[in-house]
Amino acid sequence: MTTTTEELEIIEEKYKNAAGDDFVRKWQKGRVLGKGGFATCYEFKNMDNGVKWACKLVEKKSLTQNKAKAKLMSEIKIHRCLKHKNIVQFHNFFDDENRIYIMLEICENDSLHEMLTKRKTLEELEVQYFARALVTMLVFLRSKRIIHRDLKLGNILLSN
């Protein structure tokens, strides 16, 4: 269920706790963090505790082909199993009648692409830092037999 006013959109996530009891978690949809090929990423705030997450929001109507649905479900299945300091943390996912919501760690400092666009250059030590983090992440993915097929500066997110 989605409640909408001019500036406020509340998303309700229905879930069961460990005992099997039904609960509703409310999220406040915030600003756009980025856009991709089939999803838009928004800042979502948990209305119970104020914690902010990034929410990759996918419109179900954009998943008309079975291949697109399978690709998204595969992404969720893989991402929820990855625990690494250089990979955005997966929180959970849920859906409603029209959308799929993928809740991820929020990275407040934009992407490496945005940093380079603003600054034009990086210091040598910064390049070493980012290269080491990237190689560490790629070695981890390789150990899990995963190939990242969309590696680009815009997908290298900077956290605090």
Side-chain angles (χ1 to χ4, degrees):
M1 172 189 215
T2 304
T3 305
T4 306
T5 64
E6 284 184 19
E7 296 185 25
L8 178 68
E9 186 173 356
I10 304 300
I11 310 297
E12 292 185 349
E13 171 192 2
K14 294 174 174 61
Y15 68 99
K16 292 186 182 295
N17 68 5
D21 302 319
D22 291 327
F23 283 92
V24 174
R25 182 179 295 130
K26 291 185 179 184
W27 299 93
Q28 181 179 350
K29 182 178 170 188
R31 65 189 168 102
V32 173
L33 299 174
K35 293 185 178 188
F38 68 97
T40 302
C41 193
Y42 294 90
E43 180 180 274
F44 267 43
K45 182 171 79 171
N46 183 317
M47 295 186 68
D48 294 329
N49 60 22
V51 174
K52 293 181 180 177
W53 292 89
C55 177
K56 191 173 185 177
L57 195 152
V58 181
E59 296 288 341
K60 287 183 177 179
K61 64 184 176 189
S62 72
L63 301 173
T64 56
Q65 298 178 350
N66 286 337
K67 186 176 180 181
K69 291 176 190 172
K71 182 179 175 184
L72 179 63
M73 295 317 294
S74 176
E75 176 185 336
I76 291 169
K77 180 181 175 184
I78 291 168
H79 202 160
R80 71 189 319 177
C81 297
L82 298 177
K83 303 283 186 252
H84 190 273
K85 69 179 184 170
N86 295 330
I87 296 175
V88 171
Q89 177 188 348
F90 180 94
H91 178 57
N92 72 325
F93 82 100
F94 61 96
D95 69 341
D96 62 22
E97 188 176 313
N98 299 312
R99 301 169 175 162
I100 298 170
Y101 305 88
I102 305 169
M103 307 303 291
L104 305 166
E105 167 189 11
I106 194 163
C107 298
E108 295 283 358
N109 295 326
D110 295 325
S111 69
L112 191 52
H113 177 267
E114 288 153 337
M115 177 188 265
L116 278 170
T117 300
K118 290 175 190 169
R119 291 183 33 197
K120 306 297 181 217
T121 62
L122 296 175
E123 299 293 325
E124 183 177 345
L125 287 176
E126 291 174 314
V127 172
Q128 290 174 0
Y129 173 82
F130 292 130
R132 180 183 176 119
L134 188 59
V135 168
T136 302
M137 180 270 304
L138 289 171
V139 167
F140 171 77
L141 288 178
R142 186 171 189 268
S143 75
K144 303 289 185 188
R145 303 181 54 85
I146 297 169
I147 299 171
H148 193 303
R149 295 178 21 172
D150 194 21
L151 196 54
K152 57 189 177 190
L153 295 178
N155 285 344
I156 300 174
L157 303 176
L158 308 175
S159 60
N160 298 337

PDB file of all heavy atoms in Angstrom, residues 134-149:
ATOM      1  N   LEU A 134      39.129  -1.660  -5.273  1.00  0.00           N
ATOM      2  CA  LEU A 134      38.518  -2.304  -6.431  1.00  0.00           C
ATOM      3  C   LEU A 134      39.079  -3.708  -6.654  1.00  0.00           C
ATOM      4  O   LEU A 134      38.325  -4.664  -6.867  1.00  0.00           O
ATOM      5  CB  LEU A 134      38.727  -1.440  -7.675  1.00  0.00           C
ATOM      6  CG  LEU A 134      38.004  -1.839  -8.932  1.00  0.00           C
ATOM      7  CD1 LEU A 134      36.500  -1.855  -8.724  1.00  0.00           C
ATOM      8  CD2 LEU A 134      38.360  -0.884 -10.060  1.00  0.00           C
ATOM      9  N   VAL A 135      40.385  -3.837  -6.575  1.00  0.00           N
ATOM     10  CA  VAL A 135      41.009  -5.155  -6.768  1.00  0.00           C
ATOM     11  C   VAL A 135      40.585  -6.107  -5.659  1.00  0.00           C
ATOM     12  O   VAL A 135      40.266  -7.278  -5.916  1.00  0.00           O
ATOM     13  CB  VAL A 135      42.550  -5.025  -6.849  1.00  0.00           C
ATOM     14  CG1 VAL A 135      43.226  -6.388  -6.750  1.00  0.00           C
ATOM     15  CG2 VAL A 135      42.961  -4.323  -8.136  1.00  0.00           C
ATOM     16  N   THR A 136      40.539  -5.639  -4.425  1.00  0.00           N
ATOM     17  CA  THR A 136      40.099  -6.472  -3.300  1.00  0.00           C
ATOM     18  C   THR A 136      38.686  -6.988  -3.532  1.00  0.00           C
ATOM     19  O   THR A 136      38.393  -8.163  -3.314  1.00  0.00           O
ATOM     20  CB  THR A 136      40.158  -5.661  -1.979  1.00  0.00           C
ATOM     21  OG1 THR A 136      41.487  -5.207  -1.790  1.00  0.00           O
ATOM     22  CG2 THR A 136      39.732  -6.498  -0.800  1.00  0.00           C
ATOM     23  N   MET A 137      37.806  -6.104  -3.997  1.00  0.00           N
ATOM     24  CA  MET A 137      36.418  -6.489  -4.267  1.00  0.00           C
ATOM     25  C   MET A 137      36.355  -7.499  -5.420  1.00  0.00           C
ATOM     26  O   MET A 137      35.625  -8.489  -5.340  1.00  0.00           O
ATOM     27  CB  MET A 137      35.592  -5.236  -4.601  1.00  0.00           C
ATOM     28  CG  MET A 137      34.140  -5.491  -4.909  1.00  0.00           C
ATOM     29  SD  MET A 137      33.728  -5.807  -6.644  1.00  0.00           S
ATOM     30  CE  MET A 137      34.362  -4.390  -7.480  1.00  0.00           C
ATOM     31  N   LEU A 138      37.128  -7.272  -6.474  1.00  0.00           N
ATOM     32  CA  LEU A 138      37.110  -8.181  -7.620  1.00  0.00           C
ATOM     33  C   LEU A 138      37.663  -9.565  -7.260  1.00  0.00           C
ATOM     34  O   LEU A 138      37.135 -10.583  -7.723  1.00  0.00           O
ATOM     35  CB  LEU A 138      37.884  -7.585  -8.796  1.00  0.00           C
ATOM     36  CG  LEU A 138      37.208  -6.394  -9.474  1.00  0.00           C
ATOM     37  CD1 LEU A 138      38.142  -5.729 -10.475  1.00  0.00           C
ATOM     38  CD2 LEU A 138      35.916  -6.824 -10.150  1.00  0.00           C
ATOM     39  N   VAL A 139      38.690  -9.601  -6.436  1.00  0.00           N
ATOM     40  CA  VAL A 139      39.233 -10.894  -5.980  1.00  0.00           C
ATOM     41  C   VAL A 139      38.171 -11.640  -5.173  1.00  0.00           C
ATOM     42  O   VAL A 139      37.974 -12.848  -5.347  1.00  0.00           O
ATOM     43  CB  VAL A 139      40.533 -10.691  -5.164  1.00  0.00           C
ATOM     44  CG1 VAL A 139      40.931 -11.956  -4.425  1.00  0.00           C
ATOM     45  CG2 VAL A 139      41.656 -10.212  -6.073  1.00  0.00           C
ATOM     46  N   PHE A 140      37.460 -10.908  -4.301  1.00  0.00           N
ATOM     47  CA  PHE A 140      36.376 -11.514  -3.526  1.00  0.00           C
ATOM     48  C   PHE A 140      35.296 -12.081  -4.450  1.00  0.00           C
ATOM     49  O   PHE A 140      34.868 -13.223  -4.286  1.00  0.00           O
ATOM     50  CB  PHE A 140      35.773 -10.475  -2.567  1.00  0.00           C
ATOM     51  CG  PHE A 140      34.522 -10.948  -1.890  1.00  0.00           C
ATOM     52  CD1 PHE A 140      34.580 -11.839  -0.829  1.00  0.00           C
ATOM     53  CD2 PHE A 140      33.279 -10.516  -2.320  1.00  0.00           C
ATOM     54  CE1 PHE A 140      33.418 -12.280  -0.205  1.00  0.00           C
ATOM     55  CE2 PHE A 140      32.118 -10.951  -1.711  1.00  0.00           C
ATOM     56  CZ  PHE A 140      32.183 -11.838  -0.648  1.00  0.00           C
ATOM     57  N   LEU A 141      34.846 -11.277  -5.427  1.00  0.00           N
ATOM     58  CA  LEU A 141      33.819 -11.755  -6.357  1.00  0.00           C
ATOM     59  C   LEU A 141      34.303 -12.980  -7.127  1.00  0.00           C
ATOM     60  O   LEU A 141      33.554 -13.936  -7.329  1.00  0.00           O
ATOM     61  CB  LEU A 141      33.412 -10.644  -7.329  1.00  0.00           C
ATOM     62  CG  LEU A 141      32.587  -9.506  -6.743  1.00  0.00           C
ATOM     63  CD1 LEU A 141      32.296  -8.448  -7.807  1.00  0.00           C
ATOM     64  CD2 LEU A 141      31.293 -10.013  -6.130  1.00  0.00           C
ATOM     65  N   ARG A 142      35.552 -12.962  -7.554  1.00  0.00           N
ATOM     66  CA  ARG A 142      36.101 -14.115  -8.288  1.00  0.00           C
ATOM     67  C   ARG A 142      36.092 -15.368  -7.409  1.00  0.00           C
ATOM     68  O   ARG A 142      35.782 -16.462  -7.871  1.00  0.00           O
ATOM     69  CB  ARG A 142      37.516 -13.823  -8.769  1.00  0.00           C
ATOM     70  CG  ARG A 142      38.083 -14.914  -9.646  1.00  0.00           C
ATOM     71  CD  ARG A 142      39.389 -14.465 -10.277  1.00  0.00           C
ATOM     72  NE  ARG A 142      39.826 -15.413 -11.275  1.00  0.00           N
ATOM     73  CZ  ARG A 142      40.645 -16.437 -11.026  1.00  0.00           C
ATOM     74  NH1 ARG A 142      41.098 -16.641  -9.804  1.00  0.00           N
ATOM     75  NH2 ARG A 142      41.010 -17.254 -11.997  1.00  0.00           N
ATOM     76  N   SER A 143      36.385 -15.206  -6.123  1.00  0.00           N
ATOM     77  CA  SER A 143      36.373 -16.358  -5.211  1.00  0.00           C
ATOM     78  C   SER A 143      34.966 -16.943  -5.084  1.00  0.00           C
ATOM     79  O   SER A 143      34.810 -18.112  -4.759  1.00  0.00           O
ATOM     80  CB  SER A 143      36.906 -15.959  -3.825  1.00  0.00           C
ATOM     81  OG  SER A 143      35.944 -15.202  -3.103  1.00  0.00           O
ATOM     82  N   LYS A 144      33.951 -16.125  -5.342  1.00  0.00           N
ATOM     83  CA  LYS A 144      32.560 -16.576  -5.310  1.00  0.00           C
ATOM     84  C   LYS A 144      32.061 -16.975  -6.701  1.00  0.00           C
ATOM     85  O   LYS A 144      30.881 -17.285  -6.861  1.00  0.00           O
ATOM     86  CB  LYS A 144      31.643 -15.463  -4.762  1.00  0.00           C
ATOM     87  CG  LYS A 144      32.006 -14.967  -3.392  1.00  0.00           C
ATOM     88  CD  LYS A 144      31.681 -16.009  -2.356  1.00  0.00           C
ATOM     89  CE  LYS A 144      31.931 -15.474  -0.964  1.00  0.00           C
ATOM     90  NZ  LYS A 144      31.803 -16.504   0.045  1.00  0.00           N
ATOM     91  N   ARG A 145      32.948 -16.932  -7.679  1.00  0.00           N
ATOM     92  CA  ARG A 145      32.637 -17.277  -9.075  1.00  0.00           C
ATOM     93  C   ARG A 145      31.568 -16.343  -9.656  1.00  0.00           C
ATOM     94  O   ARG A 145      30.659 -16.758 -10.354  1.00  0.00           O
ATOM     95  CB  ARG A 145      32.235 -18.742  -9.200  1.00  0.00           C
ATOM     96  CG  ARG A 145      33.323 -19.691  -8.670  1.00  0.00           C
ATOM     97  CD  ARG A 145      32.992 -21.145  -8.792  1.00  0.00           C
ATOM     98  NE  ARG A 145      32.624 -21.583 -10.111  1.00  0.00           N
ATOM     99  CZ  ARG A 145      33.475 -21.959 -11.081  1.00  0.00           C
ATOM    100  NH1 ARG A 145      34.751 -21.908 -10.861  1.00  0.00           N
ATOM    101  NH2 ARG A 145      33.015 -22.368 -12.254  1.00  0.00           N
ATOM    102  N   ILE A 146      31.728 -15.048  -9.328  1.00  0.00           N
ATOM    103  CA  ILE A 146      30.811 -14.016  -9.814  1.00  0.00           C
ATOM    104  C   ILE A 146      31.580 -13.059 -10.703  1.00  0.00           C
ATOM    105  O   ILE A 146      32.681 -12.618 -10.353  1.00  0.00           O
ATOM    106  CB  ILE A 146      30.188 -13.240  -8.627  1.00  0.00           C
ATOM    107  CG1 ILE A 146      29.342 -14.182  -7.774  1.00  0.00           C
ATOM    108  CG2 ILE A 146      29.371 -12.050  -9.126  1.00  0.00           C
ATOM    109  CD1 ILE A 146      28.902 -13.585  -6.459  1.00  0.00           C
ATOM    110  N   ILE A 147      31.001 -12.719 -11.827  1.00  0.00           N
ATOM    111  CA  ILE A 147      31.583 -11.743 -12.740  1.00  0.00           C
ATOM    112  C   ILE A 147      30.709 -10.494 -12.709  1.00  0.00           C
ATOM    113  O   ILE A 147      29.511 -10.570 -12.950  1.00  0.00           O
ATOM    114  CB  ILE A 147      31.652 -12.288 -14.188  1.00  0.00           C
ATOM    115  CG1 ILE A 147      32.532 -13.530 -14.237  1.00  0.00           C
ATOM    116  CG2 ILE A 147      32.152 -11.216 -15.143  1.00  0.00           C
ATOM    117  CD1 ILE A 147      32.481 -14.250 -15.566  1.00  0.00           C
ATOM    118  N   HIS A 148      31.328  -9.347 -12.409  1.00  0.00           N
ATOM    119  CA  HIS A 148      30.598  -8.073 -12.422  1.00  0.00           C
ATOM    120  C   HIS A 148      30.585  -7.583 -13.864  1.00  0.00           C
ATOM    121  O   HIS A 148      31.620  -7.301 -14.446  1.00  0.00           O
ATOM    122  CB  HIS A 148      31.300  -7.060 -11.512  1.00  0.00           C
ATOM    123  CG  HIS A 148      30.473  -5.851 -11.211  1.00  0.00           C
ATOM    124  ND1 HIS A 148      29.954  -5.043 -12.185  1.00  0.00           N
ATOM    125  CD2 HIS A 148      30.071  -5.317 -10.034  1.00  0.00           C
ATOM    126  CE1 HIS A 148      29.273  -4.067 -11.635  1.00  0.00           C
ATOM    127  NE2 HIS A 148      29.329  -4.219 -10.324  1.00  0.00           N
ATOM    128  N   ARG A 149      29.395  -7.491 -14.449  1.00  0.00           N
ATOM    129  CA  ARG A 149      29.305  -7.155 -15.868  1.00  0.00           C
ATOM    130  C   ARG A 149      28.942  -5.695 -16.131  1.00  0.00           C
ATOM    131  O   ARG A 149      28.675  -5.327 -17.264  1.00  0.00           O
ATOM    132  CB  ARG A 149      28.283  -8.069 -16.538  1.00  0.00           C
ATOM    133  CG  ARG A 149      28.747  -9.523 -16.517  1.00  0.00           C
ATOM    134  CD  ARG A 149      27.779 -10.477 -17.118  1.00  0.00           C
ATOM    135  NE  ARG A 149      26.831  -9.863 -18.033  1.00  0.00           N
ATOM    136  CZ  ARG A 149      25.983 -10.525 -18.785  1.00  0.00           C
ATOM    137  NH1 ARG A 149      25.958 -11.825 -18.731  1.00  0.00           N
ATOM    138  NH2 ARG A 149      25.140  -9.904 -19.575  1.00  0.00           N
TER     139      ARG A 149
END
